[in-house]
Amino acid sequence: MRTTAVVPAWNGRGWLPGLLASIDAQERPFDELVIVDNGSRDGTADWLAATRPDVVVLREDRNRGFAAAANRGIAVAHGERIALLNTDVELAPDWHARLADRLDGDPRLASVASKLVRLDDPGTVDDAGDRLRRDGVCEQRGAGRPDDGRFDVPGEVFSACAGAALYRRDAVLAVGGFDERLFSYLEDVELGLRLALAGWRCGYEPAVARHAGGGSSGQLARPVSGWVARNTLLLVARAWPWRWAGPVVYRQLAWTLHAARERRLRAHLGGLASALPLLGVMLRERAALRRVAVRRIEDVVAPVPWRGPTAGGHPDSPE
């Protein structure tokens, strides 16, 4: 099979030399490289046209969000595998070979997550696959933990961080691609949920991608926490059974209190308010999502603890 690397880019020209150098150094080269320029104001598209004629550059007139840019790149890709990459990542030379072998070796897999470590501190894990809890929270497995070997074992995770992951193109297209209404943040988790409900699995292969984190997000009009608050609410409105409302309400109240203590309540409430126009639509889509599912959501979102030391992401938890 062939692999197309798809890079959604927005004002990320400063990061691109590092990413492109790591792409050029892959032991197994990518078959195609598509960069979707989301209306960058830093000359990204012109720079690519002048320096990298081998790259397919798709230009958007404005920032349409990560989800839309990813979908556009996937739509034109010729590869059966899609490597989705942020501009602010640098791949280890064996990254593509290891993830491609893993995807090809297991027909149950729609995606493979990799081990992201911090670009400025490679000894610290940034994301070793994502986990979704029944209170609606997405946990980045290993985030902030030392890279001490505990995340070096291949396995399965709930979903992959799309900043550096490999997808089976046909599987992504079959479930409708990324939900562009989410714009940015949690769009990869929401896609992972639909893939899981459709019967697919997500593998974890600890090939390393160094990730700066935050890339261009500081330039967004809404802070990251606002996007996460908004998209968490939309995700649970569309997919969660009503009997899970208790954990969701608890988590939302706890997040609001935490935001108030950190003096970012306005941004948090603004994010929640921005979800309101889409809530009705998401609620109406619940029945359709259940009709096409081949697995129950109870079997997809595991009953892991969502509070206390054993919860994922807790300072005293192993992950």
Side-chain angles (χ1 to χ4, degrees):
M1 294 201 295
R2 297 165 296 176
T3 301
T4 298
V6 174
V7 182
W10 182 57
N11 295 334
R13 176 179 164 182
W15 300 106
L16 281 173
L19 170 64
L20 293 173
S22 72
I23 287 175
D24 293 341
Q26 289 299 293
E27 295 171 0
R28 183 183 301 180
F30 293 114
D31 299 281
E32 182 181 37
L33 175 55
V34 176
I35 296 182
V36 184
D37 181 53
N38 246 342
S40 296
R41 301 183 300 273
D42 64 353
T44 291
D46 292 338
W47 179 79
L48 286 167
T51 61
R52 293 299 298 255
D54 58 312
V55 176
V56 177
V57 180
L58 306 178
R59 301 190 186 212
E60 296 283 3
D61 59 351
R62 58 185 173 85
N63 183 12
R64 299 179 183 274
F66 181 95
N71 283 343
R72 187 175 180 197
I74 293 169
V76 306
H78 295 96
E80 296 86 359
R81 311 184 203 97
I82 302 293
L84 266 176
L85 304 170
N86 278 1
T87 52
D88 61 344
V89 301
E90 296 180 6
L91 308 176
D94 62 352
W95 187 91
H96 177 216
R98 291 176 62 179
L99 267 68
D101 285 346
R102 183 68 188 282
L103 191 70
D104 296 352
D106 191 340
R108 303 174 306 157
L109 301 182
S111 57
V112 182
S114 62
K115 182 173 72 173
L116 279 69
V117 299
R118 293 180 181 172
L119 184 65
D120 61 352
D121 180 13
T124 300
V125 174
D126 188 58
D127 191 311
D130 292 336
R131 171 171 45 204
L132 192 57
R133 301 192 324 216
R134 293 188 178 185
D135 59 353
V137 173
C138 171
E139 294 287 356
Q140 295 172 299
R141 197 169 68 108
R145 301 290 202 271
D147 186 18
D148 54 10
R150 76 183 99 171
F151 302 105
D152 288 345
V153 180
E156 288 189 14
V157 292
F158 175 80
S159 65
C161 170
L166 195 66
Y167 291 86
R168 198 180 300 274
R169 182 174 184 268
D170 286 349
V172 173
L173 293 177
V175 299
F178 289 91
D179 190 334
E180 298 181 11
R181 296 170 297 186
L182 299 188
F183 194 80
S184 291
Y185 293 97
L186 299 186
E187 70 289 311
D188 47 4
V189 177
E190 195 277 336
L191 173 63
L193 175 61
R194 282 184 285 121
L195 286 168
L197 291 172
W200 292 98
R201 307 281 179 164
C202 177
Y204 171 69
E205 181 64 34
V208 172
R210 297 174 63 187
H211 181 217
S216 304
S217 62
Q219 303 174 60
L220 292 170
R222 181 180 296 124
V224 172
S225 62
W227 284 110
V228 171
R230 171 189 186 269
N231 292 342
T232 297
L233 201 58
L234 294 178
L235 187 154
V236 300
R238 188 184 190 197
W240 257 222
W242 289 109
R243 61 184 174 278
W244 293 356
V248 171
V249 171
Y250 170 86
R251 183 56 52 201
Q252 290 295 323
L253 291 174
W255 271 358
T256 301
L257 180 60
H258 191 62
R261 288 174 174 170
E262 293 191 345
R263 303 194 177 192
R264 50 179 181 83
L265 183 61
R266 182 188 296 272
H268 180 76
L269 295 178
L272 294 177
S274 68
L276 296 179
L278 283 172
L279 275 183
V281 175
M282 293 296 186
L283 289 169
R284 288 193 295 273
E285 291 179 0
R286 293 163 61 86
L289 186 63
R290 286 196 296 269
R291 280 197 301 270
V292 300
V294 301
R295 297 175 67 197
R296 301 185 311 156
I297 194 166
E298 293 87 347
D299 299 326
V300 167
V301 182
V304 297
W306 42 272
R307 58 178 296 185
T310 58
H314 190 279
D316 294 331
S317 74
E319 296 185 352

